[in-house]
Amino acid sequence: MSVLGGGTRLSSVLCKTVVALACGLPIAAAGCGGSGVAKDATVTAYVEAPLCAAAKQELVSQGGRAGDLRVQAACLPSASERGKLSLATLGANARRATEDSTSVAYLEAPNPRAARFTHRILETAEIPWISASSGTVAMERLLKLIESAGSGSLRESIRQSLSES
C-alpha cells in the first residue's frame, strides 16, 4: 500500500527511512540531542582517518569512558585520493555522523578547504567538531568536554563549551 492510499508498495528506501526514524526517535529523545544521556549509555565520536589511530589509542587509555558514559570512536574513510581532496568522501563522512543519534562530535584534522564543506553539514544536525592535528589531543579534549557537560543535550553542551574557548 502506498503512502498516498494507492495499491503500490512503499519503496525500499522509504521503508528503511520509516523504520530508521521509528527506531531512532526513542534513542534521540534519551540520547545525545534530546533532554540528556542515560547513565552508562554509549556515545560516538566520528574521527577523520588521519586522527583515528591516535584517538582510539587515547580512548583505550582512558578506559573507553567519560564520566558515566561509554565512548566509542568511529573511524571515517580518508578524504584524500591521490593527493586531492574528495568532496564526495567528505560529504559522506559528515552525513554519516549526522545520521547517528549517538553522535556527539566530529574530530577532524585542520583543513580549511575541508572544513568549509563539512561544517555546513554538521551544523544542520548541531554536531560539534573539534579540529586538532593530533588524534590524542582531539579525543582528550572531547572526553573532558563530555565529563564536564551538564544535564540536557550533550551535543549542545559540547558546542557551547567549544564556542566559549
Side-chain angles (χ1 to χ4, degrees):
M1 180 175 273
S2 82
V3 175
L4 301 175
T8 316
R9 293 183 64 204
L10 289 173
S11 76
S12 171
V13 173
L14 182 57
C15 285
K16 288 177 184 174
T17 302
V18 170
V19 169
L21 287 173
C23 292
L25 287 177
I27 294 169
C32 305
S35 61
V37 180
K39 183 179 178 180
D40 224 27
T42 300
V43 296
T44 306
Y46 281 83
V47 187
E48 287 185 345
L51 305 180
C52 204
K56 278 190 159 188
Q57 188 174 17
E58 178 60 24
L59 190 54
V60 168
S61 75
Q62 298 295 325
R65 300 187 74 83
D68 291 336
L69 300 177
R70 284 181 253 144
V71 181
Q72 64 184 3
C75 294
L76 298 166
S78 176
S80 290
E81 296 174 5
R82 294 176 284 214
K84 292 185 179 183
L85 199 57
S86 167
L87 294 182
T89 303
L90 280 172
N93 288 348
R95 282 188 302 279
R96 183 173 164 203
T98 67
E99 293 169 351
D100 182 353
S101 65
T102 69
S103 176
V104 291
Y106 190 90
L107 309 183
E108 63 182 8
N111 182 329
R113 285 186 55 228
R116 281 194 312 265
F117 190 72
T118 58
H119 291 181
R120 291 179 186 163
I121 296 168
L122 297 169
E123 283 175 348
T124 62
E126 299 178 342
I127 295 175
W129 56 85
I130 297 173
S131 294
S133 55
S134 159
T136 302
V137 170
M139 185 58 75
E140 263 180 5
R141 186 165 187 203
L142 176 60
L143 295 176
K144 286 178 185 174
L145 290 169
I146 292 171
E147 286 181 14
S148 66
S151 61
S153 169
L154 182 56
R155 284 182 189 170
E156 183 57 31
S157 178
I158 293 169
R159 283 170 50 100
Q160 284 180 345
S161 293
L162 288 169
S163 69
E164 292 169 2
S165 58

